[in-house]
Each structure stands twice: as C-alpha cells, then as structure tokens.
Amino acid sequence: MNDAGSSDPFFTLDFEKVQKLGQVLETPAEIHPKGLFEWPTFSLKPIDLLRAVEVRILDLKEVSLHDIRLAGSAATWVVDNSSLAGTSTPRGYNDVDLVFRLDIPDKRTALKVVDAAVSGFEDISLNSSQAASRTCVGELPKAYPDSRTASYIQKRIVVWDREQQWGLVSFNNNRGLDLEVKFVNYSRRSYEFSVDSFQVVLDSYVALKRVSSVCTSPHIFPTVDVETMWGDVEEALRHVNEKWIALRSPEIIYGGGLLKYCKLLVQGYRPAYPDLRKMERYMCSRFFIDFPTAREVSRKVHMYLETHYRQRSTNYTVASLASAFLWTLLQVVAMSGECLPSSVQPDMLRIIHGIASDIEKPYVPSHMASVNGHPITVEMTFI
C-alpha cells in the first residue's frame, strides 16, 4: 500500500490485496429461494450481478452514478493483512455489500432504482448467455412472475427522509453469505466502528475485467483505491490488523451497533481505548431505545443470529460462535445496562439468556469470564 498521511482518507491496494478483491467479486454466491417453493438455486458471481445492475441503473435517465463500491465485512477482509487470497481458510466475511453511490432526485426514483437491482438479477438468472458464470439446480422457467422473483429476495428497503436517503436489496442465502446491493443518495452514517469503515472503489477493477480477460499479475493489475470513512487511514488500518475496536459518537449509532460490538468481541477484537467500555452504556441505551419491548428485543436478536450465525448448518463451530455471541451480549447488558429501568433489565436479560440456552452446544469463552474486572455468573437467577 502507498504511504498515506492521517489527513488523507484514501489509499491504494497493492497486488496481494487486489487478488483478495478478485476473490470476493468472482467467488460465486448461492441465492436460494425462500419457503417451500422448488425454484432453482442460483450461484452468481458478485461481479456479474454488479454489471447487470449497473446496466439497468444507466438506463434510468433521472439518476447519475458516481461510483460503485464494496463495503462491509468483505471490504475489511480485503484490506486486512492477516488473511491471504487463495488460502483454504474459511471466509473472513459473511456479506458482500455492493454500494452504488448515486444522485437520486426523489423517493419515487429511489423505488425505481431498487427495482433495477431486482431486474438485474432477473437478467442474469434468465439469460442463457450467463451460463458460464452461474450454475442452476433445477429447470429454469421461461419467465419469472413476481412471486418467484420475490422468493429470492430477503430484504427490499427504501429509506427516504431528511436524515438519510438510500435503498437496499438483499438476496436470500441459507448459509450466511449475504449478497446485498445498496443505493445511496445520502446516509447519515455509513459505518459503526473504524474496522468497518472501509469502502473499496470498484470502477477500475470492473472496467479492466470488462475489456480484458488477461489475468492480473504483479506487473499488470488495476489501480484500486480504498476510502476509509473513519478519515485516518493509518489508524483505521492499525485497528483492523491489531483487532482493536474504536468508535465515535456512540450515542448516534443505531441499536444494532451493540450487537456488532459483541460480535467483534467474540472475534477477538478488544477496545482500542481504556474508556471504550464506558461507551457500552451508550450502545445499550440506544439499543433499548430502538427496541424498547421484550418482543422487539427477541425479534432483533433472532434476526441478527439468522444473518450472522446461520443455524441451518450442523457445523459445531457456527453453533459455538452463536452461543459465544449470546453469552457476550448477556454479559455486556448485565454490566452496562444500568441505563435501563430496574424493572426492565431483568426481563431483557431473561430474553437473551433464554435464546442462549436454546443454542445447541453452548460455549462460553474463557476470556469472557469477567467484564471490567467483575466476575460474571452465567447461570443467572431472575426475580
């Protein structure tokens, strides 16, 4: 990577990191139908979906495309020095977030943009010319009625208000590798922690692949820039490589930030600053503001487990990580949830404890035996 001053939010990927980027974009991701329908399962390369959606976006005359980026855990994995492309180790990411930065004039157009992502998927799934880059289980129908297309979509969202304007289509995957296409006109905050603040600008990589089938080499590879929304490149990269957790303005992080924080703890990350533990109180407070009832807490936690610790596999490691996540969440809320009314905290702890107890082969990591120096007893009694 090039040397970057702390005031410059951009840096350039070296050849090894470009190889990792290629692995993310060109490794097929399965898209499964939901429910009991016997529709085919598609295996699509993210770069193929990106191209198809881009074509549809460019057809919308009222929309201007700035660039296309890779964000989320896949972008963090690309810039991380601790993992190499082409290894047999498990993926260090569980989602592929493709972000189209656009000028969108109004909500009506935003709805058209979201429809464009769905149309791009249909173009690939129904076009036999794409057979070389996707496989399909089952017979392909000649046309996809809306109900069939909808069976492949996990989420379809448009948010349009004064604070944020964006849309999202997430395609269904039963094994925990989510493929998402996001369209951003304006977003109040595009990251939660420094380690997930990276956005890889894909335009040069996609342009090269569009005009050439030449394999990249240390002497021939595209110049790919990365922007960290954290602002300080060297600090953000240090946090990734040394597994540190840092955040700014925790009071404006949405409630799901608490769950992401606990997930990072389970992955071996540690607070970058001594006082970060105090910020747990802000995250707990925001979580229970956004999810104030027992039903909403239960639903949010179950949805997070479904997305990040998919339980449709009998893999012991997956179950262990899910259990570790829940016990970690339980401990953080127990120690930092004093923001909750005394009558509410026991109910919230009971909910989380119940979900954790339901996870097969529960596992409590030894490093979580205490929080902030205080011993934690997992077997809790509620009054």
Side-chain angles (χ1 to χ4, degrees), residues 167-201:
L168 169 72
V169 176
S170 176
F171 296 95
N172 189 59
N173 179 281
N174 294 342
R175 297 182 176 88
L177 179 64
D178 293 322
L179 181 57
E180 296 187 350
V181 182
K182 189 172 184 178
F183 308 96
V184 178
N185 188 61
Y186 172 74
S187 180
R188 182 177 66 169
R189 184 164 183 157
S190 59
Y191 71 96
E192 293 168 329
F193 303 95
S194 61
V195 296
D196 61 8
S197 67
F198 298 95
Q199 295 188 1
V200 183
V201 184

PDB file of all heavy atoms in Angstrom, residues 167-201:
ATOM      1  N   GLY A 167     -31.560   2.928  -0.589  1.00  0.00           N
ATOM      2  CA  GLY A 167     -32.350   1.733  -0.829  1.00  0.00           C
ATOM      3  C   GLY A 167     -31.469   0.502  -0.781  1.00  0.00           C
ATOM      4  O   GLY A 167     -30.237   0.589  -0.916  1.00  0.00           O
ATOM      5  N   LEU A 168     -32.091  -0.655  -0.579  1.00  0.00           N
ATOM      6  CA  LEU A 168     -31.333  -1.897  -0.405  1.00  0.00           C
ATOM      7  C   LEU A 168     -32.130  -3.073  -0.933  1.00  0.00           C
ATOM      8  O   LEU A 168     -33.342  -3.175  -0.715  1.00  0.00           O
ATOM      9  CB  LEU A 168     -31.029  -2.114   1.087  1.00  0.00           C
ATOM     10  CG  LEU A 168     -30.465  -3.477   1.497  1.00  0.00           C
ATOM     11  CD1 LEU A 168     -29.028  -3.609   1.020  1.00  0.00           C
ATOM     12  CD2 LEU A 168     -30.544  -3.659   3.009  1.00  0.00           C
ATOM     13  N   VAL A 169     -31.429  -3.969  -1.627  1.00  0.00           N
ATOM     14  CA  VAL A 169     -31.979  -5.278  -1.969  1.00  0.00           C
ATOM     15  C   VAL A 169     -30.982  -6.324  -1.489  1.00  0.00           C
ATOM     16  O   VAL A 169     -29.801  -6.280  -1.838  1.00  0.00           O
ATOM     17  CB  VAL A 169     -32.208  -5.436  -3.485  1.00  0.00           C
ATOM     18  CG1 VAL A 169     -32.695  -6.849  -3.796  1.00  0.00           C
ATOM     19  CG2 VAL A 169     -33.207  -4.413  -3.986  1.00  0.00           C
ATOM     20  N   SER A 170     -31.445  -7.248  -0.658  1.00  0.00           N
ATOM     21  CA  SER A 170     -30.615  -8.324  -0.144  1.00  0.00           C
ATOM     22  C   SER A 170     -31.176  -9.642  -0.658  1.00  0.00           C
ATOM     23  O   SER A 170     -32.378  -9.913  -0.521  1.00  0.00           O
ATOM     24  CB  SER A 170     -30.611  -8.319   1.387  1.00  0.00           C
ATOM     25  OG  SER A 170     -29.874  -9.409   1.899  1.00  0.00           O
ATOM     26  N   PHE A 171     -30.317 -10.453  -1.251  1.00  0.00           N
ATOM     27  CA  PHE A 171     -30.743 -11.730  -1.826  1.00  0.00           C
ATOM     28  C   PHE A 171     -30.550 -12.856  -0.813  1.00  0.00           C
ATOM     29  O   PHE A 171     -29.591 -12.868  -0.046  1.00  0.00           O
ATOM     30  CB  PHE A 171     -29.971 -11.999  -3.111  1.00  0.00           C
ATOM     31  CG  PHE A 171     -30.259 -10.992  -4.190  1.00  0.00           C
ATOM     32  CD1 PHE A 171     -29.449  -9.893  -4.371  1.00  0.00           C
ATOM     33  CD2 PHE A 171     -31.382 -11.137  -4.996  1.00  0.00           C
ATOM     34  CE1 PHE A 171     -29.735  -8.946  -5.348  1.00  0.00           C
ATOM     35  CE2 PHE A 171     -31.674 -10.197  -5.977  1.00  0.00           C
ATOM     36  CZ  PHE A 171     -30.848  -9.101  -6.145  1.00  0.00           C
ATOM     37  N   ASN A 172     -31.461 -13.804  -0.846  1.00  0.00           N
ATOM     38  CA  ASN A 172     -31.527 -14.827   0.191  1.00  0.00           C
ATOM     39  C   ASN A 172     -30.441 -15.890   0.031  1.00  0.00           C
ATOM     40  O   ASN A 172     -30.244 -16.455  -1.044  1.00  0.00           O
ATOM     41  CB  ASN A 172     -32.890 -15.516   0.151  1.00  0.00           C
ATOM     42  CG  ASN A 172     -33.103 -16.431   1.335  1.00  0.00           C
ATOM     43  OD1 ASN A 172     -33.061 -15.986   2.470  1.00  0.00           O
ATOM     44  ND2 ASN A 172     -33.331 -17.708   1.083  1.00  0.00           N
ATOM     45  N   ASN A 173     -29.720 -16.139   1.125  1.00  0.00           N
ATOM     46  CA  ASN A 173     -28.716 -17.198   1.162  1.00  0.00           C
ATOM     47  C   ASN A 173     -28.888 -17.958   2.463  1.00  0.00           C
ATOM     48  O   ASN A 173     -28.899 -17.360   3.542  1.00  0.00           O
ATOM     49  CB  ASN A 173     -27.302 -16.608   1.058  1.00  0.00           C
ATOM     50  CG  ASN A 173     -26.225 -17.673   1.125  1.00  0.00           C
ATOM     51  OD1 ASN A 173     -25.876 -18.168   2.194  1.00  0.00           O
ATOM     52  ND2 ASN A 173     -25.678 -18.033  -0.029  1.00  0.00           N
ATOM     53  N   ASN A 174     -29.036 -19.280   2.376  1.00  0.00           N
ATOM     54  CA  ASN A 174     -29.308 -20.092   3.558  1.00  0.00           C
ATOM     55  C   ASN A 174     -28.068 -20.437   4.363  1.00  0.00           C
ATOM     56  O   ASN A 174     -28.175 -21.079   5.404  1.00  0.00           O
ATOM     57  CB  ASN A 174     -30.004 -21.392   3.145  1.00  0.00           C
ATOM     58  CG  ASN A 174     -31.388 -21.146   2.567  1.00  0.00           C
ATOM     59  OD1 ASN A 174     -31.974 -20.078   2.763  1.00  0.00           O
ATOM     60  ND2 ASN A 174     -31.906 -22.114   1.838  1.00  0.00           N
ATOM     61  N   ARG A 175     -26.906 -20.052   3.885  1.00  0.00           N
ATOM     62  CA  ARG A 175     -25.664 -20.443   4.556  1.00  0.00           C
ATOM     63  C   ARG A 175     -24.906 -19.263   5.140  1.00  0.00           C
ATOM     64  O   ARG A 175     -23.746 -19.374   5.501  1.00  0.00           O
ATOM     65  CB  ARG A 175     -24.767 -21.215   3.573  1.00  0.00           C
ATOM     66  CG  ARG A 175     -25.391 -22.526   3.104  1.00  0.00           C
ATOM     67  CD  ARG A 175     -24.479 -23.294   2.173  1.00  0.00           C
ATOM     68  NE  ARG A 175     -25.046 -24.574   1.825  1.00  0.00           N
ATOM     69  CZ  ARG A 175     -25.861 -24.777   0.803  1.00  0.00           C
ATOM     70  NH1 ARG A 175     -26.199 -23.755   0.019  1.00  0.00           N
ATOM     71  NH2 ARG A 175     -26.347 -25.974   0.543  1.00  0.00           N
ATOM     72  N   GLY A 176     -25.537 -18.114   5.213  1.00  0.00           N
ATOM     73  CA  GLY A 176     -24.939 -17.000   5.940  1.00  0.00           C
ATOM     74  C   GLY A 176     -24.039 -16.090   5.138  1.00  0.00           C
ATOM     75  O   GLY A 176     -23.415 -15.196   5.708  1.00  0.00           O
ATOM     76  N   LEU A 177     -23.936 -16.258   3.809  1.00  0.00           N
ATOM     77  CA  LEU A 177     -23.152 -15.340   2.989  1.00  0.00           C
ATOM     78  C   LEU A 177     -24.131 -14.475   2.207  1.00  0.00           C
ATOM     79  O   LEU A 177     -24.641 -14.868   1.164  1.00  0.00           O
ATOM     80  CB  LEU A 177     -22.222 -16.085   2.030  1.00  0.00           C
ATOM     81  CG  LEU A 177     -21.376 -15.176   1.121  1.00  0.00           C
ATOM     82  CD1 LEU A 177     -20.409 -14.340   1.937  1.00  0.00           C
ATOM     83  CD2 LEU A 177     -20.622 -15.990   0.078  1.00  0.00           C
ATOM     84  N   ASP A 178     -24.417 -13.307   2.734  1.00  0.00           N
ATOM     85  CA  ASP A 178     -25.443 -12.454   2.154  1.00  0.00           C
ATOM     86  C   ASP A 178     -24.868 -11.594   1.037  1.00  0.00           C
ATOM     87  O   ASP A 178     -23.793 -11.004   1.164  1.00  0.00           O
ATOM     88  CB  ASP A 178     -26.052 -11.548   3.224  1.00  0.00           C
ATOM     89  CG  ASP A 178     -26.837 -12.343   4.258  1.00  0.00           C
ATOM     90  OD1 ASP A 178     -27.500 -13.313   3.864  1.00  0.00           O
ATOM     91  OD2 ASP A 178     -26.772 -12.009   5.453  1.00  0.00           O
ATOM     92  N   LEU A 179     -25.600 -11.502  -0.058  1.00  0.00           N
ATOM     93  CA  LEU A 179     -25.251 -10.668  -1.199  1.00  0.00           C
ATOM     94  C   LEU A 179     -26.249  -9.519  -1.236  1.00  0.00           C
ATOM     95  O   LEU A 179     -27.452  -9.737  -1.397  1.00  0.00           O
ATOM     96  CB  LEU A 179     -25.298 -11.486  -2.493  1.00  0.00           C
ATOM     97  CG  LEU A 179     -24.928 -10.775  -3.795  1.00  0.00           C
ATOM     98  CD1 LEU A 179     -23.523 -10.183  -3.724  1.00  0.00           C
ATOM     99  CD2 LEU A 179     -25.039 -11.751  -4.967  1.00  0.00           C
ATOM    100  N   GLU A 180     -25.746  -8.290  -1.056  1.00  0.00           N
ATOM    101  CA  GLU A 180     -26.610  -7.123  -0.972  1.00  0.00           C
ATOM    102  C   GLU A 180     -26.191  -6.072  -1.992  1.00  0.00           C
ATOM    103  O   GLU A 180     -25.007  -5.889  -2.267  1.00  0.00           O
ATOM    104  CB  GLU A 180     -26.562  -6.500   0.427  1.00  0.00           C
ATOM    105  CG  GLU A 180     -27.089  -7.391   1.522  1.00  0.00           C
ATOM    106  CD  GLU A 180     -27.174  -6.693   2.859  1.00  0.00           C
ATOM    107  OE1 GLU A 180     -26.646  -5.566   2.985  1.00  0.00           O
ATOM    108  OE2 GLU A 180     -27.773  -7.272   3.790  1.00  0.00           O
ATOM    109  N   VAL A 181     -27.186  -5.387  -2.533  1.00  0.00           N
ATOM    110  CA  VAL A 181     -26.956  -4.246  -3.407  1.00  0.00           C
ATOM    111  C   VAL A 181     -27.624  -3.039  -2.753  1.00  0.00           C
ATOM    112  O   VAL A 181     -28.822  -3.058  -2.480  1.00  0.00           O
ATOM    113  CB  VAL A 181     -27.535  -4.480  -4.813  1.00  0.00           C
ATOM    114  CG1 VAL A 181     -27.242  -3.282  -5.715  1.00  0.00           C
ATOM    115  CG2 VAL A 181     -26.975  -5.757  -5.428  1.00  0.00           C
ATOM    116  N   LYS A 182     -26.820  -2.013  -2.487  1.00  0.00           N
ATOM    117  CA  LYS A 182     -27.319  -0.828  -1.801  1.00  0.00           C
ATOM    118  C   LYS A 182     -27.131   0.397  -2.689  1.00  0.00           C
ATOM    119  O   LYS A 182     -26.122   0.523  -3.372  1.00  0.00           O
ATOM    120  CB  LYS A 182     -26.588  -0.624  -0.470  1.00  0.00           C
ATOM    121  CG  LYS A 182     -27.185   0.454   0.425  1.00  0.00           C
ATOM    122  CD  LYS A 182     -26.543   0.458   1.798  1.00  0.00           C
ATOM    123  CE  LYS A 182     -27.202   1.458   2.727  1.00  0.00           C
ATOM    124  NZ  LYS A 182     -26.603   1.442   4.092  1.00  0.00           N
ATOM    125  N   PHE A 183     -28.120   1.289  -2.651  1.00  0.00           N
ATOM    126  CA  PHE A 183     -28.075   2.526  -3.425  1.00  0.00           C
ATOM    127  C   PHE A 183     -28.136   3.695  -2.447  1.00  0.00           C
ATOM    128  O   PHE A 183     -29.078   3.799  -1.662  1.00  0.00           O
ATOM    129  CB  PHE A 183     -29.252   2.584  -4.394  1.00  0.00           C
ATOM    130  CG  PHE A 183     -29.375   1.347  -5.246  1.00  0.00           C
ATOM    131  CD1 PHE A 183     -30.235   0.321  -4.895  1.00  0.00           C
ATOM    132  CD2 PHE A 183     -28.615   1.201  -6.390  1.00  0.00           C
ATOM    133  CE1 PHE A 183     -30.355  -0.821  -5.664  1.00  0.00           C
ATOM    134  CE2 PHE A 183     -28.713   0.061  -7.167  1.00  0.00           C
ATOM    135  CZ  PHE A 183     -29.579  -0.943  -6.807  1.00  0.00           C
ATOM    136  N   VAL A 184     -27.148   4.562  -2.500  1.00  0.00           N
ATOM    137  CA  VAL A 184     -27.034   5.627  -1.503  1.00  0.00           C
ATOM    138  C   VAL A 184     -27.069   6.990  -2.183  1.00  0.00           C
ATOM    139  O   VAL A 184     -26.225   7.294  -3.028  1.00  0.00           O
ATOM    140  CB  VAL A 184     -25.751   5.491  -0.680  1.00  0.00           C
ATOM    141  CG1 VAL A 184     -25.645   6.644   0.324  1.00  0.00           C
ATOM    142  CG2 VAL A 184     -25.713   4.152   0.049  1.00  0.00           C
ATOM    143  N   ASN A 185     -28.074   7.776  -1.821  1.00  0.00           N
ATOM    144  CA  ASN A 185     -28.106   9.181  -2.203  1.00  0.00           C
ATOM    145  C   ASN A 185     -27.492  10.007  -1.077  1.00  0.00           C
ATOM    146  O   ASN A 185     -26.657  10.873  -1.300  1.00  0.00           O
ATOM    147  CB  ASN A 185     -29.539   9.638  -2.471  1.00  0.00           C
ATOM    148  CG  ASN A 185     -29.613  11.035  -3.053  1.00  0.00           C
ATOM    149  OD1 ASN A 185     -29.080  11.288  -4.129  1.00  0.00           O
ATOM    150  ND2 ASN A 185     -30.272  11.952  -2.358  1.00  0.00           N
ATOM    151  N   TYR A 186     -27.900   9.686   0.154  1.00  0.00           N
ATOM    152  CA  TYR A 186     -27.323  10.313   1.343  1.00  0.00           C
ATOM    153  C   TYR A 186     -27.550   9.390   2.523  1.00  0.00           C
ATOM    154  O   TYR A 186     -28.639   8.858   2.703  1.00  0.00           O
ATOM    155  CB  TYR A 186     -27.950  11.682   1.628  1.00  0.00           C
ATOM    156  CG  TYR A 186     -27.502  12.265   2.955  1.00  0.00           C
ATOM    157  CD1 TYR A 186     -26.221  12.775   3.103  1.00  0.00           C
ATOM    158  CD2 TYR A 186     -28.343  12.258   4.056  1.00  0.00           C
ATOM    159  CE1 TYR A 186     -25.791  13.279   4.324  1.00  0.00           C
ATOM    160  CE2 TYR A 186     -27.936  12.761   5.276  1.00  0.00           C
ATOM    161  CZ  TYR A 186     -26.655  13.273   5.408  1.00  0.00           C
ATOM    162  OH  TYR A 186     -26.233  13.761   6.616  1.00  0.00           O
ATOM    163  N   SER A 187     -26.503   9.207   3.324  1.00  0.00           N
ATOM    164  CA  SER A 187     -26.611   8.381   4.529  1.00  0.00           C
ATOM    165  C   SER A 187     -25.939   9.111   5.676  1.00  0.00           C
ATOM    166  O   SER A 187     -24.813   9.601   5.533  1.00  0.00           O
ATOM    167  CB  SER A 187     -25.943   7.018   4.316  1.00  0.00           C
ATOM    168  OG  SER A 187     -26.046   6.221   5.480  1.00  0.00           O
ATOM    169  N   ARG A 188     -26.636   9.187   6.802  1.00  0.00           N
ATOM    170  CA  ARG A 188     -26.095   9.911   7.938  1.00  0.00           C
ATOM    171  C   ARG A 188     -24.798   9.299   8.433  1.00  0.00           C
ATOM    172  O   ARG A 188     -23.855   9.985   8.790  1.00  0.00           O
ATOM    173  CB  ARG A 188     -27.120   9.932   9.082  1.00  0.00           C
ATOM    174  CG  ARG A 188     -26.653  10.708  10.304  1.00  0.00           C
ATOM    175  CD  ARG A 188     -27.724  10.770  11.363  1.00  0.00           C
ATOM    176  NE  ARG A 188     -28.034   9.458  11.930  1.00  0.00           N
ATOM    177  CZ  ARG A 188     -28.784   9.271  13.004  1.00  0.00           C
ATOM    178  NH1 ARG A 188     -29.342  10.299  13.602  1.00  0.00           N
ATOM    179  NH2 ARG A 188     -29.022   8.052  13.456  1.00  0.00           N
ATOM    180  N   ARG A 189     -24.739   7.982   8.422  1.00  0.00           N
ATOM    181  CA  ARG A 189     -23.535   7.304   8.896  1.00  0.00           C
ATOM    182  C   ARG A 189     -23.412   5.971   8.181  1.00  0.00           C
ATOM    183  O   ARG A 189     -24.342   5.162   8.220  1.00  0.00           O
ATOM    184  CB  ARG A 189     -23.588   7.103  10.411  1.00  0.00           C
ATOM    185  CG  ARG A 189     -22.321   6.485  10.985  1.00  0.00           C
ATOM    186  CD  ARG A 189     -22.289   6.681  12.493  1.00  0.00           C
ATOM    187  NE  ARG A 189     -21.059   6.154  13.070  1.00  0.00           N
ATOM    188  CZ  ARG A 189     -20.552   6.550  14.222  1.00  0.00           C
ATOM    189  NH1 ARG A 189     -21.163   7.484  14.917  1.00  0.00           N
ATOM    190  NH2 ARG A 189     -19.455   6.022  14.708  1.00  0.00           N
ATOM    191  N   SER A 190     -22.283   5.745   7.522  1.00  0.00           N
ATOM    192  CA  SER A 190     -22.117   4.548   6.697  1.00  0.00           C
ATOM    193  C   SER A 190     -21.318   3.459   7.390  1.00  0.00           C
ATOM    194  O   SER A 190     -21.025   2.435   6.785  1.00  0.00           O
ATOM    195  CB  SER A 190     -21.434   4.913   5.376  1.00  0.00           C
ATOM    196  OG  SER A 190     -20.169   5.510   5.612  1.00  0.00           O
ATOM    197  N   TYR A 191     -20.946   3.662   8.642  1.00  0.00           N
ATOM    198  CA  TYR A 191     -20.175   2.657   9.372  1.00  0.00           C
ATOM    199  C   TYR A 191     -20.463   2.821  10.861  1.00  0.00           C
ATOM    200  O   TYR A 191     -21.048   3.826  11.287  1.00  0.00           O
ATOM    201  CB  TYR A 191     -18.676   2.817   9.099  1.00  0.00           C
ATOM    202  CG  TYR A 191     -18.077   4.070   9.744  1.00  0.00           C
ATOM    203  CD1 TYR A 191     -17.435   4.010  10.975  1.00  0.00           C
ATOM    204  CD2 TYR A 191     -18.198   5.312   9.126  1.00  0.00           C
ATOM    205  CE1 TYR A 191     -16.923   5.145  11.567  1.00  0.00           C
ATOM    206  CE2 TYR A 191     -17.687   6.447   9.708  1.00  0.00           C
ATOM    207  CZ  TYR A 191     -17.050   6.365  10.940  1.00  0.00           C
ATOM    208  OH  TYR A 191     -16.556   7.505  11.534  1.00  0.00           O
ATOM    209  N   GLU A 192     -20.069   1.831  11.638  1.00  0.00           N
ATOM    210  CA  GLU A 192     -20.254   1.892  13.086  1.00  0.00           C
ATOM    211  C   GLU A 192     -18.919   1.985  13.814  1.00  0.00           C
ATOM    212  O   GLU A 192     -18.753   2.789  14.727  1.00  0.00           O
ATOM    213  CB  GLU A 192     -21.042   0.664  13.560  1.00  0.00           C
ATOM    214  CG  GLU A 192     -22.479   0.667  13.047  1.00  0.00           C
ATOM    215  CD  GLU A 192     -23.183  -0.659  13.241  1.00  0.00           C
ATOM    216  OE1 GLU A 192     -22.499  -1.707  13.198  1.00  0.00           O
ATOM    217  OE2 GLU A 192     -24.407  -0.656  13.419  1.00  0.00           O
ATOM    218  N   PHE A 193     -17.966   1.141  13.412  1.00  0.00           N
ATOM    219  CA  PHE A 193     -16.651   1.115  14.046  1.00  0.00           C
ATOM    220  C   PHE A 193     -15.573   1.371  12.989  1.00  0.00           C
ATOM    221  O   PHE A 193     -15.814   1.219  11.785  1.00  0.00           O
ATOM    222  CB  PHE A 193     -16.422  -0.230  14.735  1.00  0.00           C
ATOM    223  CG  PHE A 193     -17.475  -0.562  15.754  1.00  0.00           C
ATOM    224  CD1 PHE A 193     -18.564  -1.344  15.405  1.00  0.00           C
ATOM    225  CD2 PHE A 193     -17.395  -0.078  17.043  1.00  0.00           C
ATOM    226  CE1 PHE A 193     -19.551  -1.648  16.327  1.00  0.00           C
ATOM    227  CE2 PHE A 193     -18.385  -0.368  17.976  1.00  0.00           C
ATOM    228  CZ  PHE A 193     -19.456  -1.145  17.621  1.00  0.00           C
ATOM    229  N   SER A 194     -14.387   1.734  13.444  1.00  0.00           N
ATOM    230  CA  SER A 194     -13.317   2.034  12.492  1.00  0.00           C
ATOM    231  C   SER A 194     -13.024   0.850  11.580  1.00  0.00           C
ATOM    232  O   SER A 194     -12.697   1.028  10.406  1.00  0.00           O
ATOM    233  CB  SER A 194     -12.039   2.439  13.245  1.00  0.00           C
ATOM    234  OG  SER A 194     -11.595   1.380  14.090  1.00  0.00           O
ATOM    235  N   VAL A 195     -13.171  -0.370  12.086  1.00  0.00           N
ATOM    236  CA  VAL A 195     -12.809  -1.543  11.289  1.00  0.00           C
ATOM    237  C   VAL A 195     -13.809  -1.852  10.181  1.00  0.00           C
ATOM    238  O   VAL A 195     -13.502  -2.643   9.290  1.00  0.00           O
ATOM    239  CB  VAL A 195     -12.626  -2.786  12.200  1.00  0.00           C
ATOM    240  CG1 VAL A 195     -11.465  -2.581  13.155  1.00  0.00           C
ATOM    241  CG2 VAL A 195     -13.917  -3.099  12.963  1.00  0.00           C
ATOM    242  N   ASP A 196     -15.001  -1.262  10.223  1.00  0.00           N
ATOM    243  CA  ASP A 196     -15.944  -1.477   9.126  1.00  0.00           C
ATOM    244  C   ASP A 196     -16.190  -0.187   8.339  1.00  0.00           C
ATOM    245  O   ASP A 196     -17.227  -0.024   7.702  1.00  0.00           O
ATOM    246  CB  ASP A 196     -17.261  -2.084   9.621  1.00  0.00           C
ATOM    247  CG  ASP A 196     -18.005  -1.196  10.615  1.00  0.00           C
ATOM    248  OD1 ASP A 196     -17.590  -0.043  10.816  1.00  0.00           O
ATOM    249  OD2 ASP A 196     -19.014  -1.656  11.169  1.00  0.00           O
ATOM    250  N   SER A 197     -15.208   0.707   8.368  1.00  0.00           N
ATOM    251  CA  SER A 197     -15.354   2.000   7.704  1.00  0.00           C
ATOM    252  C   SER A 197     -14.777   2.029   6.298  1.00  0.00           C
ATOM    253  O   SER A 197     -14.770   3.068   5.649  1.00  0.00           O
ATOM    254  CB  SER A 197     -14.670   3.087   8.542  1.00  0.00           C
ATOM    255  OG  SER A 197     -13.258   2.906   8.569  1.00  0.00           O
ATOM    256  N   PHE A 198     -14.277   0.886   5.798  1.00  0.00           N
ATOM    257  CA  PHE A 198     -13.596   0.864   4.503  1.00  0.00           C
ATOM    258  C   PHE A 198     -14.576   0.664   3.355  1.00  0.00           C
ATOM    259  O   PHE A 198     -15.516  -0.131   3.453  1.00  0.00           O
ATOM    260  CB  PHE A 198     -12.545  -0.257   4.475  1.00  0.00           C
ATOM    261  CG  PHE A 198     -11.457  -0.072   5.496  1.00  0.00           C
ATOM    262  CD1 PHE A 198     -11.534  -0.699   6.730  1.00  0.00           C
ATOM    263  CD2 PHE A 198     -10.373   0.736   5.232  1.00  0.00           C
ATOM    264  CE1 PHE A 198     -10.539  -0.526   7.682  1.00  0.00           C
ATOM    265  CE2 PHE A 198      -9.379   0.918   6.175  1.00  0.00           C
ATOM    266  CZ  PHE A 198      -9.460   0.287   7.402  1.00  0.00           C
ATOM    267  N   GLN A 199     -14.323   1.388   2.261  1.00  0.00           N
ATOM    268  CA  GLN A 199     -15.096   1.232   1.027  1.00  0.00           C
ATOM    269  C   GLN A 199     -14.117   1.139  -0.135  1.00  0.00           C
ATOM    270  O   GLN A 199     -13.346   2.060  -0.384  1.00  0.00           O
ATOM    271  CB  GLN A 199     -16.062   2.395   0.832  1.00  0.00           C
ATOM    272  CG  GLN A 199     -17.147   2.482   1.892  1.00  0.00           C
ATOM    273  CD  GLN A 199     -18.194   3.528   1.575  1.00  0.00           C
ATOM    274  OE1 GLN A 199     -18.131   4.200   0.552  1.00  0.00           O
ATOM    275  NE2 GLN A 199     -19.172   3.668   2.464  1.00  0.00           N
ATOM    276  N   VAL A 200     -14.147   0.008  -0.836  1.00  0.00           N
ATOM    277  CA  VAL A 200     -13.253  -0.231  -1.973  1.00  0.00           C
ATOM    278  C   VAL A 200     -13.941   0.248  -3.249  1.00  0.00           C
ATOM    279  O   VAL A 200     -15.040  -0.212  -3.576  1.00  0.00           O
ATOM    280  CB  VAL A 200     -12.912  -1.730  -2.095  1.00  0.00           C
ATOM    281  CG1 VAL A 200     -11.920  -1.953  -3.236  1.00  0.00           C
ATOM    282  CG2 VAL A 200     -12.351  -2.266  -0.781  1.00  0.00           C
ATOM    283  N   VAL A 201     -13.322   1.182  -3.947  1.00  0.00           N
ATOM    284  CA  VAL A 201     -13.885   1.726  -5.185  1.00  0.00           C
ATOM    285  C   VAL A 201     -13.625   0.727  -6.314  1.00  0.00           C
ATOM    286  O   VAL A 201     -12.472   0.426  -6.640  1.00  0.00           O
ATOM    287  CB  VAL A 201     -13.275   3.098  -5.521  1.00  0.00           C
ATOM    288  CG1 VAL A 201     -13.943   3.680  -6.767  1.00  0.00           C
ATOM    289  CG2 VAL A 201     -13.420   4.067  -4.339  1.00  0.00           C
TER     290      VAL A 201
END
